[in-house]
Amino acid sequence: MSQVDLRTCFAGLSLKNPVMTASGTFAARESGEFYDLSRLGAVITKGVAAKPWPGNPTPRIAETYGGMLNAVGLQNPGAEAYIESELSYLAQYDVPVIANLAGHSVEEYVAVTECLNETSVAMFELNISCPNVKEGGIGFGTDPRMAAQVTEAVKRAAKKPVMVKLTPNVTDITAIARAVEDAGADAISLINTLLGMRIDLKTKRPLLANGTGGLSGPAIKPVAVRMVYQVRRAVKLPILGLGGICTGEDAAEFLLAGADAVAVGTAALVNPTAPVDVVEELAAFMAREGYADVAALKAAFVG
Amino acid sequence: MKRVIAARLAENAGLAPEIFRMVLRLPEGEMPARAGQFVNVYLEDGAHLLPRPISVCRQEGNALTLVYRVIGAGTRRMAHLQPGAEVRISSPLGNGYTLPERGHVLLAGGGVGVPPLVQAAYEAKAKGLHVTAALGYRDALFLQREFADACDALAIATEDGSAGFHGNVVQLLMAQALPEDTAVLACGPKPMLRALQAFCAARKLPLQVSLEERMGCGYGACVGCVCKLLRNGAIVQKRVCKDGPVFDGSEVVFE
């Protein structure tokens, strides 16, 4: 596979390959127990806020056909603990770190941005799309005006490139994508989870303590591919495509749809080495199909 | 490094209604499991994606025994696996029990919380500790031979009174005098563990409890399975899969 060049430039970052971990499904120490993190294009860490968040009550997880629901609610130890623990641990690896930022308000998003400005973080991913947080989160991601407002404020405060993560729980995702592009975003990632629900037939109650949760996994992949395709045609920004990627072939599908890089999320919960498996499978797929680099594969889309 | 390995199914048969024993042959040189650890069992059927975290009942050489209850579609699928099948499992996960250096060990188990105490019994016996097991069942008994083999004393409680003490494990223990140097290792339903917490606090006995929660990844990445501990006057959240599943019984907040 030496003939395949996976190197990727994404919003100014030089990556070994276009494969990242998806926020919320990656923890440095725990994932690093299964594979060498330096083999990835980048890692996107779990949502972090300026101050610690307790998250939602349990059960937070429910299985569904071909996927899962989660309602973790962005439990995180706050920026200070994130810098001391997660970031310092990641320093031993040769991999760019993208920090997923959480907040309940514009001020909170700006606060965490400022906390992480002087760190080794290579890029920010603005999480305006978590369906499990009552205030903030998805509230910003479903309204083009609010999405633009928070993007602009964070962009003004940030000393790193800012990627904005979009929710699929909207009527027209291209309207949000255009709004954050106009507000100065450096990249877009999509999709976050789809709002879903399951009910326990024994207790007749929702399976999740939160009632509803975010659906992820291979079940949502066609929705994600469609939205990447739509957003590619609406904006010029680099796109990180994610949503149900389990294999290298899945990753290739996103690249063909218009993504410039991809992230592996739920698959890593199902198979801890999935992110690096996807790197190898993508290279094998490209070698088999005769594409020398990512640009050649992307250019092959007929649509 | 931790990894996912392909094990070979040697046995998979019912022990009691809805309770099954699975014996897996591991590849040579796999990391041995400690009592109280668990493995992820990956079902790989395309619909049930998440691993089933199952406690280690016994590991001898390359034979790993899991005893599990069929509670849904995933575990039912596990029960249908035939000997000879390849089963993908993770390396042992979680922290496991900490055995005392000397003295008495009391193993308190309820229902499908009984199996992990088998490994604990054998490890305690190998350390020369005095081992007592107090096991509670709804009705049908299982794993009696193993406990009889590894323990110095064995007491049984059944909810229907069909064998041993008529009642639950904590009621059974109320009637017994325990040596002062007894360390209690427990696994079972939350009401049982909560009652044991009060029981051990009143007698000043150290208690370790193994908790259960719906898990996503089982290795600490998704933070789906947290529990609450009361530590130094403050509530802290810990991941059952990675920081546990065994916790200091005096700290756990049962809700």
Side-chain angles (χ1 to χ4, degrees):
Chain A
M1 265 160 277
S2 54
Q3 70 272 34
V4 174
D5 182 359
L6 287 181
R7 285 177 301 170
T8 300
C9 184
F10 184 80
L13 296 191
S14 296
L15 312 178
K16 290 188 194 94
N17 60 65
V19 181
M20 309 183 189
T21 58
S23 179
T25 62
F26 169 82
R29 280 181 184 78
E30 290 73 11
S31 304
E33 284 188 302
F34 285 93
Y35 62 88
D36 177 3
L37 306 181
S38 301
R39 291 169 62 194
L40 292 172
V43 296
I44 305 184
T45 49
K46 290 176 88 70
V48 61
K51 299 271 179 258
W53 287 13
N56 287 324
T58 58
R60 294 173 167 184
I61 302 285
E63 200 174 36
T64 63
Y65 288 112
M68 64 181 279
L69 295 172
N70 92 80
V72 171
L74 293 171
Q75 179 187 330
N76 77 87
E80 199 178 316
Y82 170 81
I83 294 166
E84 279 170 17
S85 177
E86 191 84 345
L87 266 190
S88 63
Y89 186 80
L90 281 166
Q92 67 187 291
Y93 293 101
D94 174 27
V95 67
V97 179
I98 300 177
N100 182 280
L101 308 182
H104 294 113
S105 63
V106 171
E107 291 71 26
E108 284 190 24
Y109 281 111
V110 169
V112 66
T113 303
E114 287 170 346
C115 290
L116 299 179
N117 260 338
E118 310 301 332
T119 64
S120 57
V121 166
M123 182 184 274
F124 296 132
E125 179 179 55
L126 191 54
N127 186 352
I128 57 166
S129 45
C130 176
N132 300 321
V133 179
K134 297 271 181 296
E135 302 142 5
I138 200 168
F140 287 98
T142 53
D143 177 343
R145 200 178 40 82
M146 286 177 73
Q149 191 192 345
V150 68
T151 302
E152 218 171 84
V154 167
K155 188 61 194 154
R156 205 177 306 125
K159 297 181 179 173
K160 325 264 185 188
V162 176
M163 172 160 70
V164 182
K165 187 167 185 177
L166 304 188
T167 172
N169 301 305
V170 291
T171 311
D172 179 8
I173 196 164
T174 63
I176 311 280
R178 280 193 207 94
V180 302
E181 181 173 55
D182 292 345
D186 298 293
I188 287 177
S189 53
L190 72 151
I191 59 176
N192 205 318
T193 56
L194 286 149
L195 194 58
M197 185 174 190
R198 274 202 64 195
I199 294 168
D200 187 323
L201 292 178
K202 279 199 196 100
T203 63
K204 319 293 190 279
R205 293 167 192 267
L207 226 55
L208 296 170
N210 191 51
T212 59
L215 176 64
S216 64
I220 71 165
K221 198 187 81 177
V223 177
V225 170
R226 181 264 293 179
M227 288 187 160
V228 166
Y229 171 86
Q230 288 178 318
V231 170
R232 176 71 293 155
R233 276 140 196 85
V235 301
K236 294 197 163 50
L237 291 179
I239 294 175
L240 174 68
L242 71 158
I245 295 175
C246 295
T247 65
E249 283 82 354
D250 292 340
E253 213 177 317
F254 277 79
L255 296 171
L256 287 166
D260 300 284
V262 296
V264 179
T266 299
L269 310 183
V270 179
N271 166 23
T273 60
V276 285
D277 294 348
V278 166
V279 174
E280 283 178 19
E281 291 163 7
L282 177 62
F285 170 81
M286 288 168 60
R288 205 160 62 230
E289 295 268 326
Y291 296 108
D293 55 31
V294 176
L297 172 62
K298 286 168 58 63
F301 181 61
V302 183
Chain B
M1 274 211 172
K2 285 182 182 162
R3 51 198 204 100
V4 174
I5 56 175
R8 188 66 59 185
L9 188 59
E11 291 171 41
N12 194 22
L15 288 184
E18 303 297 288
I19 302 285
F20 286 76
R21 181 202 341 241
M22 172 181 277
V23 181
L24 295 160
R25 301 279 169 211
L26 307 179
E28 289 303 318
E30 281 306 321
M31 193 164 57
R34 290 191 307 280
Q37 288 191 299
F38 66 95
V39 296
N40 274 343
V41 178
Y42 296 91
L43 296 171
E44 327 250 8
D45 65 357
H48 302 100
L49 298 175
L50 296 177
R52 267 51 186 173
I54 309 287
S55 64
V56 170
C57 175
R58 184 82 174 114
Q59 183 168 5
E60 287 176 284
N62 75 333
L64 176 72
T65 302
L66 308 176
V67 172
Y68 58 98
R69 181 158 67 195
V70 172
I71 54 164
T75 40
R76 185 162 301 115
R77 200 178 164 79
M78 279 175 63
H80 286 150
L81 291 170
Q82 296 298 315
E86 186 183 286
V87 181
R88 285 177 70 245
I89 61 168
S90 69
S91 306
L93 300 168
N95 57 358
Y97 292 107
T98 306
L99 292 171
E101 289 308 312
R102 62 189 69 79
H104 291 75
V105 170
L106 171 68
L107 306 173
V112 81
V114 166
L117 300 177
V118 169
Q119 180 71 17
Y122 279 105
E123 288 180 16
K125 183 187 181 185
K127 267 187 118 172
L129 304 172
H130 185 278
V131 190
T132 301
L135 308 174
Y137 299 89
R138 199 177 297 157
D139 38 40
L141 309 181
F142 51 89
L143 296 171
Q144 292 297 293
R145 192 170 44 81
E146 287 79 356
F147 283 102
D149 178 39
C151 297
D152 298 292
L154 174 61
I156 302 296
T158 52
E159 285 175 24
D160 68 354
S162 57
F165 178 83
H166 188 175
N168 66 39
V169 168
V170 183
Q171 291 164 340
L172 164 72
L173 289 173
M174 291 287 189
Q176 298 197 348
L178 295 173
E180 276 178 20
D181 64 348
T182 300
V184 184
L185 313 186
C187 187
K190 265 186 189 153
M192 172 193 145
L193 298 180
R194 189 190 293 123
L196 264 181
Q197 186 179 52
F199 176 89
C200 289
R203 288 161 183 77
K204 299 194 167 52
L205 301 177
L207 168 68
Q208 296 172 50
V209 297
S210 179
L211 299 183
E212 189 171 46
E213 185 53 72
R214 275 179 191 273
M215 293 181 185
C217 64
Y219 65 89
C222 74
V223 195
C225 61
V226 294
C227 65
K228 289 193 169 79
L229 304 183
L230 184 60
R231 189 171 280 178
N232 305 323
I235 296 282
V236 293
Q237 294 194 110
K238 292 288 173 186
R239 297 163 299 182
V240 173
C241 69
K242 177 74 182 181
D243 305 311
V246 178
F247 293 94
D248 178 341
S250 68
E251 292 187 334
V252 175
V253 179
F254 293 104
E255 288 172 320

